Amino acid sequence: MLKFLTPARGIIEAGTDAVRATLGDQAARDLAEAQAFQSVLGQYQAEFHRRPRGWFDGLVDGLNRLPRPVIAFATCALFAYAMLDPVAFTARMQGLAHVPEPLWWILGSVIGFYFGARELHHLRRFRASSAAEVRETVETIRAIEAVEPPEVTPGNPAISAWRREVGQ
């Protein structure tokens, strides 16, 4: 009886090898997927890993994060102050009206350069990454313009109107 099992086992193993060669081994796919996932996690860890910093670096980093929230909360606080004590708010605003104009220009320049430099930095990064997209869009538009319009049929007034519009 064992004589019959040996050829059958060989046929089964050959079929299994053929299936593995054609479709691949699920365990090998799972292992490759797990290794790729670990590789991605390693890249993220290397990207976001922070070196140890001193107290001064932490202080400067914290100060750099303050201007936008302070301006936003101060503006909201001014509205609350105007509602809670309108007389005192009016007195403070009259005091601001006496600030010389060149000082307002300096304040506007400082705020404009601070936020403008930040936006310009992000705009430059965006433009560098989208140059290829612009080229691809232009090529697509040219390909669309090169397409011949469909033939005019008596029952299709939209195409006839289009041809009259473009001068054909």
Side-chain angles (χ1 to χ4, degrees), residues 5-159:
L5 290 179
T6 305
R9 184 176 293 148
I11 292 172
I12 291 173
E13 287 176 3
T16 304
D17 290 342
V19 169
R20 278 193 189 136
T22 305
L23 300 177
D25 188 10
Q26 181 66 37
R29 284 195 303 268
D30 289 345
L31 179 63
E33 185 177 324
Q35 288 173 342
F37 184 71
Q38 289 298 323
S39 173
V40 168
L41 286 179
Q43 288 175 345
Y44 281 136
Q45 181 181 11
E47 181 178 349
F48 293 108
H49 179 71
R50 293 184 178 217
R51 60 178 170 75
R53 299 182 313 173
W55 68 271
F56 183 74
D57 287 337
L59 176 70
V60 170
D61 189 32
L63 288 175
N64 281 335
R65 295 172 188 223
L66 280 179
R68 289 190 301 164
V70 166
I71 289 172
F73 288 129
T75 303
C76 293
L78 281 174
F79 279 96
Y81 183 50
M83 288 186 286
L84 293 175
D85 193 357
V87 175
F89 178 78
T90 304
R92 300 305 183 274
M93 292 300 111
Q94 288 298 320
L96 284 176
H98 295 292
V99 173
E101 189 174 343
L103 192 57
W104 286 113
W105 281 101
I106 291 172
L107 178 65
S109 299
V110 168
I111 291 174
F113 279 117
Y114 177 79
F115 291 111
R118 197 162 190 271
E119 290 301 315
L120 186 61
H121 169 72
H122 292 297
L123 182 66
R124 285 180 180 162
R125 280 187 23 201
F126 174 74
R127 284 191 178 168
S129 67
S130 66
E133 293 174 10
V134 170
R135 279 192 297 274
E136 184 178 322
T137 303
V138 169
E139 290 172 3
T140 304
I141 290 171
R142 288 184 180 150
I144 290 171
E145 289 173 345
V147 172
E148 287 292 320
E151 291 299 317
V152 177
T153 59
N156 196 342
I159 294 176

